[in-house]
Amino acid sequence: MALQDDIKSWDLNSKDPYLPISYEGQIIGFCKPNYAVRIIKILNDEENSRKALYKACQDLVAFKGGEPEDVKEYIKKYLSSAKRPKHGLGAIMIMLRDRQKELDLGDQEFVKFCDSYKLSPQELKNVCEGKDIKDNSLHAIARILGVSFEDLLVIRYGFKQDN
């Protein structure tokens, strides 16, 4: 007899041109085969991650001597802190990190790359440390990221500024 945690909730049910995708035995939709396996893997991984988070929060609450209802609050807290910021300095820092990965550059190479776009190593360090960004640095960062200065301002402030 298999343990409940070992059973995959998301599964493929057929070899038809569009595969039915089921969740706990109920068909919830159809998908092309070339996407189906990846979608099912992502959904099962996400579910397993949520189960692990729940168990970790249970352990944390038990360790701290809290109440069982505290588990949901910890889950909310950790899920919200793990979200990728859409605005502000955090979003810009992540975009720079993504750009570094996209270019497949090491740290020193990326510093040189940024310097070639007129973002000095000290300015890059300040951005990475969460210090305020000067407007002239924003121009350089926009060029590094390949976005317009105006779009970067929207990311920085979370809204479009009227001039």
Side-chain angles (χ1 to χ4, degrees):
M1 183 168 152
L3 294 174
Q4 185 66 22
D5 287 344
D6 293 337
I7 298 172
K8 301 243 190 239
S9 299
W10 293 92
D11 199 11
L12 303 173
N13 291 334
S14 173
K15 301 292 184 208
D16 293 334
Y18 283 91
L19 299 174
I21 297 176
S22 65
Y23 181 70
E24 296 180 347
Q26 297 280 59
I27 294 177
I28 55 98
F30 296 86
C31 184
K32 290 184 177 185
N34 55 330
Y35 299 112
V37 173
R38 278 194 319 205
I39 290 171
I40 296 303
K41 182 180 180 341
I42 289 168
L43 290 171
N44 279 318
D45 287 350
E46 194 266 340
E47 189 165 322
N48 288 336
S49 295
R50 284 193 180 270
K51 286 178 184 177
L53 175 63
Y54 183 81
K55 288 178 180 182
C57 289
Q58 277 182 317
D59 290 347
L60 178 63
V61 167
F63 178 75
K64 292 182 96 177
E67 298 297 319
E69 54 270 6
D70 295 342
V71 171
K72 288 183 181 178
E73 289 304 314
Y74 278 107
I75 289 172
K76 282 183 196 175
K77 173 186 170 185
Y78 291 121
L79 285 176
S80 67
S81 69
K83 285 183 182 174
R84 181 183 176 115
K86 295 179 181 172
H87 302 291
L89 186 56
I92 294 172
M93 289 168 40
I94 289 173
M95 290 174 72
L96 283 168
R97 186 179 50 199
D98 290 348
R99 182 69 171 144
Q100 180 180 358
K101 287 178 186 175
E102 180 184 307
L103 295 170
D104 194 27
L105 296 175
D107 290 343
Q108 292 303 319
E109 294 169 312
F110 190 66
V111 169
K112 289 178 186 176
F113 174 79
C114 291
D115 196 30
S116 74
Y117 279 87
K118 307 296 185 220
L119 183 67
S120 73
Q122 185 59 47
E123 289 170 316
L124 179 60
K125 181 180 178 194
N126 290 344
V127 171
C128 292
E129 290 177 350
K131 295 180 181 172
D132 197 31
I133 304 172
K134 298 176 191 170
D135 281 347
N136 64 337
S137 297
L138 278 178
H139 284 286
I141 292 169
R143 288 190 305 271
I144 291 165
L145 297 174
V147 299
S148 72
F149 177 72
E150 291 76 21
D151 288 344
L152 193 60
L153 285 177
V154 170
I155 292 167
R156 180 183 187 185
Y157 295 112
F159 58 88
K160 187 170 183 152
Q161 291 185 320
D162 295 326
N163 294 351

